[in-house]
Structure formats: structure tokens, C-alpha cells
Amino acid sequence: MAINAPEGTYDMLPDRKLFWEQFKRAAQEVFGTYGYLPIETPVIERTELFVRGIGEATDVVSKEMYTAISGGNLAKLLNGEKLSSKSRLSLRPEGTAGTVRACVQHDLVPQGAPPAKLMYAGQMFRAERPQQGRQREFNQVGIECLGAEDPTIDAEGIIMLMRFFTSVGIPDDAMTLLVNSMGCEKCRPAYREAVLAHMRQHEEGLCDTCKERMKLNPLRAFDCKNEACAQIMDGAPKISDHLCDECAEHHAKVRGYLDLANVRYQEDPRLVRGLDYYTRTVFEVQVADSDKAQNAIGGGGRYDKLAEEIGGRPTPGFGFALGFERCADAIAKAGVELPTAQRCDLFVACVEDAARTDAFQLAQACRDAGLTCQMDHQHRSLKSQFKLADKLHARYVAVLGPDELAEGVANLRDMETHEEQRIALAEVPGALS
Ligand code: HAM
């Protein structure tokens, strides 16, 4: 039986791959104007980085992480031996922890230095139940800014993301930007207690997962899709009423800058996000979709304690990531045509096999001149070669027949206007460049 790609993964066929490359270039262009520079970190990291960075109790770490075991280590495990923490590796479920690890490891934010502004693009892996818009291997573009606590960083990051979404064709009115503050280590513990007290009062009505969440991560109950839980959590205390003065001021300033830039947003006191590292600002961009579970095309926030959590010196941070596949769906839904197949400047057609060597040389000379050029390799009829040229969206077709060969020319047809001209073989590359 044929072996297909694993469930929840997909092959990026040429059209999609070309679009992905263009999408990344567009991101680099927009984020570059804010000073973001590219970084690439390994797809595989030590498991403890994610456990400490993202949080052991999060779904992403506790249920969805792919842990990689090399052959030798698998034998050890089967023998009942324990693996050293160095040998325990996981495929990255997201890009923030690895980027912050790289900043700490290479001291990218030395004392007194300007913030490190970094962007990345690549595959992430989460063992989720696959469905439309939710893959096990998916692609993110993300940014991380380390070394600045000022609310201008949060605001410019959010504005930059919204500008990018618009630039790739997602209509403004299709997107909803939700913002919230998660508070800090000073004000969040008391808030968490207040939410827990509320959940205890209504414990019988909660689903088993939310009852479990009460032990480790009660705030995650705000994300529960169960109708009864959602109703109970609607009545829970709001973080906005529990922020300390510094967090409230930070949040007000972020909102003020968004207003200045005329960015529309909704305050959502229940937005908690699924990763434990957030402090203060959190935000998410959603597109209208009937299935609530997968309508987030991007999200992020501030994480002022993450660098310390993984062994670095205190370094405030802010970032976001967007999901390429969900964005591509939103772009297609908006009716924007995704750029497809490669361009083709010239197709060289042979009337008879005798022209093959000249056709081969002409195609080569055109490529050397920087043109995209294809020729027949399958001895097709002339009619079928024209069909192929059409399929390739060729701008021109050069026909080499016995008469043309005798004269050292090609019959060049403009595929749009259907005009034809005879032109010396040596002059074809120059005429089309
Ligand atoms: P996240 O919200 O987990 O945040 O993921 C960001 C985006 O990745 C989501 O909004 C969604 O578009 C896409 N995404 C997530 N999971 C899947 C999946 N299974 N299939 C398809 N797309 C998916 C983060 O990853 C944080 N690291 C963002 C961040 C950066 N926060 C601070 N800096």
C-alpha cells in the first residue's frame, strides 16, 4: 500500500511553496521597516526549555509536544534507564522559547544595549487532533523583541502585525483584534485566587477538564468551549478589576498608542492564551469563522519573566506569531488570488526532432540571459507543445521548424497578442530580456 504523509501534516506543493516564500518576503519587508532582523533556531530543542519556558501545565507541553528519541536512547529507555536532560529533546511547538534561549545563549541583549528585534519563520509541531486549520505540523512567522519594557513596543508590534495582515490581502473588516492584560507576578496571584474561589463555588457545573484545571491552571478555564463552563466563567472576576497600578498604566498606554494609530480593537478580559509565559499585554487576531476553535490567525503578548525562567538575566520581552496556513485560508476566503505557478518567458517548440539541438541551445542561451525558459522533452506534436506553453503561461513561444532551421531563425509568437515575427536565433535572448 502507498505510504502517505502523516496525519496532520501536508506536502507543500509548488504553488503553495511559492506562496509561502512570497509570504515570508512580505513579512520581512513589513517587519524590516520596524528594525526586525531574521534569526533561525533549531527545530529541535531540549525538552526542559519548553517545560520551563512555556509551562509544564499547558496543553502544548503536557499533551501536544513531540518528543524525539534517538535510536541509542530508545534502547536505554526500553531497558528502563533514565535519560539525562541533555538527551531529552522535543520538536518545537512554537518559536518564542527557542528565540529567547538563543538571545540568552549568545548574549544578544547585553546590559545597556538596544532591544534585540528578531523575526523567524518555520515549522512548528503540535500533536493536536487534526482538522481544518489545525495541523500537527504547521508554519508560523513570528517576531520577538527582547530588552524593552515600554508599552510602545507592545503597540508597535500589534500595529505592525495588523499592517502585515492587510498587506497580504486579509480585509480589515474580516479581522477582530482582542487585547487584554494578564497582570504581573505582583497582581496575578491574587486574581488567580479570586477566579479559583469563583470556580470552587460553581465546581459541580464545571467539566472534568476545568475541574482538573483548578489544580494547576485555573485561568485556562476561560478558554473552555463547554457551554456550561463558559457561562460559569462569564461570571468570574475580571482581570481588569485586579491589575496593580503599574500594569493598569502599561495597559492604558498600549491602548492609547493603538488609538493613535487608529487600530480597532476589542478589550477582552477573558483572553488568557494557552502559554504560561505571558505577563501584562496579551492579544489575538481572529477571523470570522463558524468554528470558534481555529479562528485565530495570530497572537502574542509580553513575557517579562521568560528569559529568567530559562536561566538568563532579567530581560523583558514581547512577541507574536501568526499561522501561515490559517492566513492562506483567510486570504483565499477574501477572494484574493494567491500567486501561483512560476512565470515562463519563453517556450521553445520543435516542429521536428532535427530542431532539438538548436532548441536546446536556444533555451540555454535564454536562461543564461536570465529568462525563464522551457522546452519540449517528450517529442510532443506541435499542437500539444502549444497547449503545454499555454498551461505554463508562457509569454512567448519560439517555433523551430525546418524552414526556420535553414535560415537560422525562430518564429516567435507573442502568446497574448498572437503577433508573430521571425528573429535570428542569436537575437532571441536580447529581444525578450
Ligand atoms: P499561538 O497562539 O500558540 O502562539 O500560535 C500562534 C498562531 O499559530 C495561532 O494564532 C495560529 O494561527 C497558529 N497555530 C497554532 N497552532 C496551530 C495548529 N495546530 N495548526 C495551524 N496553525 C496553528 C505562539 O505560538 C506564541 N509563540 C506567540 C508568541 C510569540 N508570543 C510571544 N511571542
Side-chain angles (χ1 to χ4, degrees):
M1 206 168 61
I3 300 171
N4 290 337
E7 220 193 330
T9 71
Y10 73 104
D11 298 306
M12 246 197 221
L13 301 179
D15 277 353
R16 177 51 72 103
K17 175 74 177 161
L18 285 171
F19 180 48
W20 171 225
E21 295 303 323
Q22 178 172 323
F23 188 87
K24 285 189 282 185
R25 276 197 300 276
Q28 208 148 11
E29 240 165 63
V30 175
F31 303 163
T33 62
Y34 292 76
Y36 282 84
L37 297 173
I39 186 171
E40 191 160 331
T41 60
V43 165
I44 198 162
E45 294 271 2
R46 279 168 58 173
T47 303
E48 67 176 315
L49 172 71
F50 302 122
V51 171
R52 273 160 61 183
I54 300 172
E56 199 161 12
T58 58
D59 282 357
V60 168
V61 168
S62 65
K63 298 185 194 153
E64 296 169 1
M65 212 149 65
Y66 282 103
T67 289
I69 299 166
S70 70
N73 286 331
L74 182 61
K76 277 189 195 169
L77 273 182
L78 293 175
N79 267 339
E81 287 175 51
K82 277 206 162 166
L83 293 186
S84 69
S85 68
K86 263 190 181 166
S87 312
R88 296 200 301 130
L89 303 172
S90 291
L91 293 179
R92 62 181 182 197
E94 56 100 61
T96 310
T99 307
V100 175
R101 195 255 323 124
C103 281
V104 170
Q105 183 173 339
H106 304 287
D107 199 19
L108 296 187
V109 197
Q111 218 96 51
K117 287 179 154 185
L118 303 164
M119 63 165 290
Y120 51 86
Q123 298 109 305
M124 307 294 158
F125 304 85
R126 297 184 193 175
E128 301 199 72
R129 195 162 54 80
Q131 47 188 291
Q132 175 68 26
R134 176 178 287 162
Q135 281 92 30
R136 291 183 168 166
E137 182 187 22
F138 57 98
N139 289 277
Q140 281 188 346
V141 175
I143 63 106
E144 312 295 345
C145 173
L146 282 115
E149 209 175 351
D150 199 78
T152 46
I153 285 293
D154 313 36
E156 75 167 27
I158 297 173
I159 295 165
M160 172 170 102
L161 177 62
M162 298 313 283
R163 296 270 196 275
F164 171 70
F165 282 148
T166 315
S167 79
V168 290
I170 306 177
D172 259 342
D173 57 6
M175 295 185 281
T176 308
L177 166 63
L178 304 174
V179 297
N180 190 23
S181 172
M182 298 282 292
C184 65
E185 82 275 19
K186 258 193 346 200
C187 53
R188 193 164 19 179
Y191 174 63
R192 189 178 176 279
E193 279 312 309
V195 172
L196 197 52
H198 174 82
M199 290 173 77
R200 281 200 194 104
Q201 268 175 16
H202 300 87
E203 193 164 347
E204 288 105 272
L206 292 172
C207 71
D208 290 346
T209 316
C210 282
K211 282 183 188 147
E212 206 46 44
R213 283 173 173 145
M214 288 171 69
K215 293 185 198 140
L216 284 171
N217 215 346
L219 299 187
R220 292 294 307 145
F222 281 116
D223 245 6
C224 188
K225 303 288 177 271
N226 181 300
E227 201 50 50
C229 296
Q231 257 181 28
I232 293 171
M233 296 314 286
D234 257 350
K238 291 193 173 65
I239 181 85
S240 39
D241 298 327
H242 287 75
L243 293 178
C244 62
D245 289 348
E246 291 87 344
C247 286
E249 191 188 337
H250 185 96
H251 194 50
K253 284 190 173 159
V254 173
R255 289 195 325 248
Y257 290 124
L258 294 179
D259 291 337
L260 265 183
N262 287 323
V263 169
R264 269 186 314 110
Y265 59 88
Q266 276 175 29
E267 193 64 58
D268 183 355
R270 293 189 169 75
L271 180 68
V272 286
R273 310 253 316 129
L275 313 158
D276 274 357
Y277 47 60
Y278 292 114
T279 50
R280 295 190 168 168
T281 310
V282 284
F283 73 100
E284 206 158 274
V285 185
Q286 303 186 343
V287 286
D289 210 308
S290 48
D291 188 344
K292 237 183 134 218
Q294 300 120 59
N295 58 1
I297 50 173
R302 179 160 281 286
Y303 48 83
D304 291 341
K305 296 286 153 198
L306 178 54
E308 276 167 85
E309 206 64 63
I310 61 170
R313 75 169 82 86
T315 313
F318 172 88
F320 63 71
L322 56 92
F324 165 65
E325 287 76 13
R326 292 190 195 173
C327 287
D329 286 349
I331 294 167
K333 206 169 161 192
V336 178
E337 217 171 291
L338 305 184
T340 50
Q342 202 188 349
R343 74 194 169 100
C344 176
D345 298 311
L346 178 71
F347 186 90
V348 185
C350 313
V351 179
E352 290 170 354
D353 225 30
R356 192 157 298 278
T357 307
D358 290 80
F360 182 82
Q361 279 182 310
L362 176 60
Q364 207 46 55
C366 287
R367 292 164 190 151
D368 288 345
L371 297 166
T372 303
C373 183
Q374 303 233 38
M375 65 177 278
D376 167 59
H377 299 287
Q378 295 158 306
H379 307 265
R380 289 165 182 255
S381 69
L382 188 59
K383 193 172 160 197
S384 151
Q385 290 181 62
F386 266 100
K387 270 196 190 154
L388 177 57
D390 250 344
K391 214 169 143 191
L392 293 168
H393 303 293
R395 282 168 51 217
Y396 291 91
V397 174
V399 179
L400 302 189
D403 294 349
E404 285 83 10
L405 272 190
E407 286 175 46
V409 298
N411 192 44
L412 195 65
R413 178 195 281 215
D414 183 322
M415 294 295 277
E416 207 175 292
T417 62
H418 299 289
E419 274 169 33
E420 294 189 4
Q421 56 172 316
R422 287 165 90 79
I423 178 166
L425 288 176
E427 285 167 22
V428 173
L432 299 187
S433 305

